[in-house]
Amino acid sequence: MPIDIDIAKVARLARLGLSDDELAAYGSQLEDILEHAARVQALPTEGVEPTAHPLPMVNAHRSDEVEPTLDREEVLAQAPDHVDGFFRVPAFLEDE
Amino acid sequence: MSDPADFTIAEAARALRSGETTAAALLKAVRRRVTMTEADLHAYLTIDAEGAEASAAAADEAFARGEDRGSLQGIPIALKDNMVTRGVETTASSQILAGWIPPYDASVVTKLRDAGAVIIGKTNLDEFAMGSSTENSAYGTSRNPWDPERVPGGSSGGSAAAVAVGSALAALGSDTGGSIRQPASLCGVVGMKPTYGLVSRYGLIAFASSLDQIGPITRSVDDALAVLETIAGHDPEDATSFRGELPDFGSQVDRGVDGLRIGVVSELLGEGTEPAVADAFGAMLERLEGAGAEIRELSLPSTAYALSAYYLIAPAECSANLARFDGVRYGLRVDGGETVEDMMGATRAAGFGPEVTRRILLGTYALSAGYYDAFYGQAQKVRTLVIEDFKQAYQQADVLVTPTSPTTAFTVGERTDDPLAMYLSDICTIPSNLSGDPGISVPIGVDDAGLPIGFQVLAPALAEPVMFRVAKAVEGLAGFDARPTLANSEGAA
């Protein structure tokens, strides 16, 4: 089954700022890999439940107790940019 | 006297308690081996000289006080660099984490420290554990200690190479599709993936959360058992951590294979298996039969589709897990324009290498609207079929066996241009990641070029006791005692 990918859209969804050349190269590699991966469609799976996880587990509860958390200064020291105890990022809203 | 860097954990543990050696002397011997081999091997990304010396001194003080926290006290151990270590740089071999100093320890690190182990440093891997050769590391390829022109396997290639050469007595790796067992096989050491959930993943930088599991790489089956006993157990920090009673991992280890039913999976012995690997595997089956095991050929038809399913499920999970690397809270930030989205796009494009980028794209596509059912959804159903095939097989056999890898170590560069050929390295190991079952690779011989061949033993979930039992028998029957070229030193035998 030939596979056609809108690679620019996929890269945008994945927040990967790739150049046009990179997009073209990854696009054609992905088509090859997906052609192989599409073999999963050859196996009859009517009535088969999907497995998301190897363990049959639902929720993992614990009691709601106050516990030590990571040290704020130690965490912020690893941030690319921070101010007044917050992570700082470029604008994420349009100017009014 | 042999060089302490060549000791197994069991030998070192005895020597530490008889006073024949000290933790400080053991560390010194291992550090000497690191100095001697690293230029050729590049197994390590970071050596924590200060931390290791402090831990060795603490272990010696504990011995002097008569305090004994078990078989890992004073033992030099290496960590794959995707396990976070407070105060010691952790990169997962990615540029996006260059220079990152984690503010906490992974749970396995805490357990090793509590047991008195000496953590020497952090080993090289394929970026974010995605690969089968360490060639995807942003910090250079590790080399195979049996032939530096060849890869050590991956993704835990640095850990396997370090253990093979005596640059650590043991190491931890992580296994998502074979990343402990395949490099162990290619480097001639023992590598074990526990049942999913037995070892906490807290502080393991996530690749594919429903498949990832931490496990030991060692020079003997007994050593793998000793490390597993130390790192296994419920951890409230990992919601997927197993809550039931742990099996007594070593309870059957010395019982031999007499009367056991050993299943051979015909689908995993197909084309692509090198003749030397097939011959060594077949010879071991005959020896197991001679030792009283019953060999049964079994068919697990869906395992033929496991690789395809894996290359949808693992990238899908990776695309979600790696969304956290966005230049906001830690790691690399690259300015890419006006908005936060531009910054994220520029950071991620600059910070991730080609294989990681490829898998993020693949996973994003497989999960995207319109394609989800055909790819990810279908792969999850194939996963169910693989699990059902294993269940049926385990009604007819106590364990299943395969070669660990269809080939011995390949040459650096040989498969880098062909992602699919690289993926085929893991064809025998991937099915048990999908099912969450344990597996172990034991070295059984070498090919004509002197490269090691691994034998894989698979068992049902929580059946580690019988898995170790067969692995120990295989180890005994193989009598594998060859040494890698790079370990031949003034002190080595």
Side-chain angles (χ1 to χ4, degrees):
Chain A
M1 174 180 105
I3 287 161
D4 188 25
I5 302 173
D6 182 352
I7 190 72
K9 182 185 168 198
V10 176
R12 204 161 51 244
L13 288 171
R15 299 284 185 275
L16 287 162
L18 302 172
S19 70
D20 290 345
D21 286 351
E22 289 170 320
L23 287 175
Y26 284 118
S28 94
Q29 288 171 349
L30 246 59
E31 283 166 18
D32 290 347
I33 296 168
L34 281 166
E35 257 178 72
H36 190 271
R39 291 180 52 194
V40 295
Q41 292 156 0
L43 210 57
T45 54
E46 214 180 281
V48 175
E49 289 295 318
T51 298
H53 206 273
L55 295 181
M57 52 189 343
V58 190
N59 287 321
H61 296 290
R62 64 164 175 80
S63 50
D64 187 18
E65 283 162 6
V66 177
E67 286 172 13
T69 56
L70 298 180
D71 180 76
R72 176 187 281 219
E73 290 311 312
E74 207 178 335
V75 169
L76 287 173
Q78 295 298 316
D81 195 8
H82 62 98
V83 61
D84 299 336
F86 294 98
F87 299 111
R88 180 155 66 183
V89 295
F92 58 89
L93 291 174
E94 302 286 334
D95 282 335
E96 304 260 317
Chain B
M1 192 187 110
S2 62
D3 188 324
D6 295 316
F7 282 168
T8 60
I9 292 176
E11 289 164 348
R14 277 194 295 275
L16 284 165
R17 283 160 186 79
S18 70
E20 186 194 323
T21 191
T22 62
L26 202 52
L27 175 62
K28 205 171 164 191
V30 167
R31 287 294 309 277
R32 203 183 315 129
R33 191 61 62 83
V34 172
T35 306
M36 209 170 70
T37 57
E38 266 306 278
D40 293 318
L41 206 58
H42 187 44
Y44 282 94
L45 295 177
T46 305
I47 295 282
D48 181 17
E50 233 172 84
E53 276 161 33
S55 300
D60 283 330
E61 283 161 27
F63 280 123
R65 282 196 305 272
E67 187 186 326
D68 196 333
R69 281 175 286 175
S71 55
L72 299 192
Q73 182 164 298
I75 302 295
I77 290 184
L79 296 172
K80 186 178 184 179
D81 198 33
N82 60 351
M83 297 170 209
V84 307
T85 40
R86 185 172 190 172
V88 177
E89 184 178 2
T90 301
T91 65
S93 285
S94 181
Q95 287 291 350
I96 212 159
L97 281 176
W100 182 50
I101 311 293
Y104 69 106
D105 274 331
S107 292
V108 287
V109 175
T110 306
K111 280 184 181 266
L112 287 178
R113 290 196 200 286
D114 289 349
V118 174
I119 295 170
I120 314 160
K122 311 295 292 289
T123 57
N124 195 21
L125 63 149
D126 289 290
E127 184 177 3
F128 288 109
M130 297 176 200
S132 309
S133 67
T134 75
E135 289 168 293
N136 297 330
S137 169
Y139 306 105
T141 303
S142 297
R143 300 302 176 123
N144 192 302
W146 299 76
D147 177 359
E149 298 298 309
R150 292 173 187 271
V151 301
S155 66
S156 313
S159 282
V163 172
V165 85
S167 293
L169 264 58
L172 295 189
S174 65
D175 192 312
T176 305
S179 277
I180 289 174
R181 292 163 284 161
Q182 185 260 17
S185 175
L186 269 50
C187 288
V189 291
V190 173
M192 191 250 163
K193 180 194 94 75
T195 299
Y196 183 87
L198 280 189
V199 179
S200 169
R201 292 183 297 109
Y202 179 68
L204 171 69
I205 297 174
F207 159 15
S209 303
S210 81
L211 305 165
D212 296 343
Q213 187 62 186
I214 294 173
I217 296 176
T218 58
R219 284 192 224 123
S220 75
V221 172
D222 282 337
D223 284 4
L225 190 54
V227 175
L228 180 64
E229 279 169 346
T230 304
I231 61 174
H234 179 68
D235 177 14
E237 300 289 353
D238 174 0
T240 61
S241 161
F242 178 69
R243 284 166 177 259
E245 199 181 326
L246 293 182
D248 183 352
F249 300 120
S251 54
Q252 307 178 19
V253 69
D254 290 316
R255 280 203 220 156
V257 291
D258 192 17
L260 285 182
R261 300 164 304 164
I262 296 180
V264 178
V265 185
S266 41
E267 281 81 5
L268 302 180
L269 262 177
E271 55 176 319
T273 308
E274 285 177 349
V277 173
D279 289 351
F281 179 75
M284 180 52 68
L285 291 181
E286 282 174 24
R287 289 181 183 178
L288 287 165
E289 201 164 26
E294 184 193 334
I295 308 294
R296 297 180 167 190
E297 185 154 331
L298 298 173
S299 173
L300 281 78
S302 65
T303 56
Y305 299 86
L307 186 72
S308 299
Y310 175 86
Y311 275 100
L312 292 166
I313 292 169
E317 294 189 23
C318 117
S319 72
N321 273 324
L322 271 59
R324 72 192 58 172
F325 301 102
D326 57 7
V328 174
R329 290 154 301 163
Y330 42 76
L332 181 74
R333 175 183 292 188
V334 175
D335 291 325
E338 299 280 295
T339 68
V340 72
E341 205 168 304
D342 296 334
M343 179 279 283
M344 288 177 179
T347 298
R348 288 162 63 80
F352 293 136
E355 181 62 22
V356 173
T357 303
R358 194 151 44 231
R359 295 204 198 182
I360 291 174
L361 290 167
L362 184 55
T364 305
Y365 175 80
L367 288 174
S368 62
Y371 305 100
Y372 183 99
D373 288 340
F375 288 105
Y376 183 64
Q378 182 67 11
Q380 286 186 311
K381 290 179 183 171
V382 172
R383 187 173 189 177
T384 306
L385 295 176
V386 170
I387 292 170
E388 285 172 2
D389 272 5
F390 270 121
K391 276 191 186 145
Q392 290 219 333
Y394 287 129
Q395 288 179 354
Q396 300 165 64
D398 299 295
V399 297
L400 300 175
V401 297
T402 76
T404 309
S405 163
T407 71
T408 54
F410 44 94
T411 310
V412 172
E414 189 181 322
R415 299 188 186 177
T416 40
D417 292 334
D418 187 353
L420 269 174
M422 189 74 91
Y423 296 171
L424 287 169
S425 303
D426 298 326
I427 193 151
C428 297
T429 47
I430 276 174
S432 54
N433 292 89
L434 292 175
S435 64
D437 298 337
I440 188 167
S441 177
V442 180
I444 54 167
V446 294
D447 67 8
D448 290 343
L451 300 166
I453 296 166
F455 186 92
Q456 181 177 232
V457 182
L458 304 172
L462 303 174
E464 272 85 354
V466 70
M467 184 205 72
F468 277 119
R469 173 178 173 184
V470 175
K472 181 92 184 262
V474 168
E475 183 179 53
L477 291 168
F480 182 82
D481 59 0
R483 298 282 301 147
T485 333
L486 282 183
N488 289 331
S489 69
E490 72 286 315

